[in-house]
Amino acid sequence: GLPMFYGGLNAILEGLPTITDPIYAQLLPYQCHNYLMLDYTPAEWTSSIFGVLMPLWSGLAVMPLYAIAKRLTSAHNAKWVVIWWALIPSLLMFTPNWNSLYPLLALLAFWFYLVGLSSTQSKAIGAWIIAGFLVGLLTFANVSLAPLPAVFGFYTLLHYARNERTDKPIYRPIIIGLWFGLGTITIWVLYYVASSGTTPLDIL
């Protein structure tokens, strides 16, 4: 998924020379000794900024983290969660690595999932599909994140057992899982159609 993302970003930037050419002119002198990078187009140089700014994207994780903690506990506890969170990523949050971005997307997915649990049926379905879609994007970007749907499934069962068992039907976790699963497979189905039949097993 990551080469596909950069390929799409490069394709968009190729049509924006007024943006890419000045950035290329500024960055090129810093890599004049790297012959491989000298062959990069202005669009490729510009798209690399997305990766360079990865610490910024990872830092945005505090927002869904706060929203989740506030929803599960209280605003007071959520503030402390955000304060102490900075100690967890430590130096990793300052590296331009895609692993820094995954927590942001995972937290966003979990926030949408929690919104679905406390919403009306129509809004809940949309929230669960969005949560599943974000998890699908994560698995598409990095197959090592494939266990993530199981985490959501385990939480669904735990939440039902503790909070909904007395007033919700026994099949409610299955319904949630189906909507969540629909969102998760969406990106894979789109890729299957666009690539004329390339399956996840083919990628593996």
Side-chain angles (χ1 to χ4, degrees), residues 96-143:
N97 189 301
W98 273 86
N99 292 336
S100 304
L101 181 64
Y102 299 146
L104 169 62
L105 297 178
L107 287 168
L108 276 174
F110 191 60
W111 180 77
F112 274 107
Y113 171 84
L114 292 178
V115 168
L117 289 178
S118 60
S119 300
T120 59
Q121 185 65 18
S122 57
K123 291 183 179 179
I125 291 173
W128 291 328
I129 291 176
I130 293 173
F133 181 76
L134 289 171
V135 170
L137 281 178
L138 284 167
T139 60
F140 189 73
N142 193 328
V143 183

